Amino acid sequence: MSYEAEKNIIGALFIDIANMDTIHGMLQAEMFRDELLGRMYLEFQRGYDNGYPVTPTVILQKLSDSSFPEGAIAEVIKACVVDTVTGAAVRGDARVIVNDFKAARFGAILGALKISPDKVEEQIGTLVADLEALKGNRTRTSKTLREIVRENKTKYFTDNRAAGIYL
């Protein structure tokens, strides 16, 4: 299920980069199970943050030095674009990826837990901190420069003088 959601995210970003507005803060490249799709998402993030368009050619160029053959990259790009009809489900697909990532991390945290009676307090503190960090991924507190500019663009170059008495 997660692989299909990952492909849909990449396809939706190729269709319209504005879909990144919806998922930018909730999804990170390391959350992708498929390494190639994760690298593609990272390039979309970089393009979005730095204001350059990401096209299939850009992806091929950026990933050309990676361990993935160019033909494999092209096939995955094609599959993402062909299989994705619309970006309308991008938020739901992102949630699938995030929840899958959290479930895997949660299992890893619990699997690595080895309880020792002489260090139980320290282990509880570490476990709670790890779980809070995992849970904390739910919301974002910062905004990108692009988001701030988009929110405030109507405030520039306008006459904002309030009516009043000037001395």
Side-chain angles (χ1 to χ4, degrees):
M1 176 83 173
S2 180
Y3 182 71
E4 291 302 317
E6 291 175 9
K7 279 184 14 184
N8 289 341
I9 292 288
I10 300 301
L13 294 174
F14 275 123
I15 290 170
D16 186 2
I17 192 62
N19 287 314
M20 185 63 91
D21 293 340
T22 306
I23 60 173
H24 188 271
M26 70 187 291
L27 198 57
Q28 300 299 320
E30 65 266 7
M31 293 177 176
F32 284 70
R33 284 191 175 199
D34 185 275
E35 184 182 353
L36 178 55
L37 293 172
R39 291 284 310 273
M40 288 181 184
Y41 182 75
L42 180 62
E43 291 307 323
F44 274 107
Q45 275 185 317
R46 289 176 178 163
Y48 180 81
D49 290 341
N50 296 309
Y52 64 84
V54 177
T55 64
T57 306
V58 170
I59 293 284
L60 283 169
Q61 178 190 22
K62 297 284 187 179
L63 299 182
S64 65
D65 63 339
S66 68
S67 60
F68 303 105
E70 191 172 301
I73 297 168
E75 284 301 314
V76 171
I77 290 171
K78 181 180 175 183
C80 291
V81 172
V82 169
D83 294 346
T84 306
V85 178
T86 179
V90 73
R91 184 180 299 276
D93 289 332
R95 280 193 200 111
V96 167
I97 296 168
V98 170
N99 289 339
D100 194 40
F101 172 77
K102 285 183 177 184
R105 289 283 302 134
F106 184 52
I109 290 169
L110 292 179
L113 189 62
K114 297 199 182 350
I115 301 169
S116 172
D118 59 330
K119 295 182 181 180
V120 72
E121 293 296 323
E122 179 182 324
Q123 291 172 327
I124 290 171
T126 302
L127 177 63
V128 168
D130 289 345
L131 293 176
E132 284 178 350
L134 185 60
K135 181 181 176 188
N137 190 30
R138 190 177 304 157
T139 58
R140 179 174 51 132
T141 58
S142 62
K143 294 181 181 180
T144 65
L145 184 56
R146 179 183 294 262
E147 291 169 329
I148 293 169
V149 169
R150 193 172 286 130
E151 288 174 4
N152 294 297
K153 72 179 179 181
T154 59
K155 297 176 185 174
Y156 299 116
F157 305 112
T158 59
D159 188 10
N160 289 331
R161 286 185 279 164
I165 300 173
Y166 296 98
L167 302 175

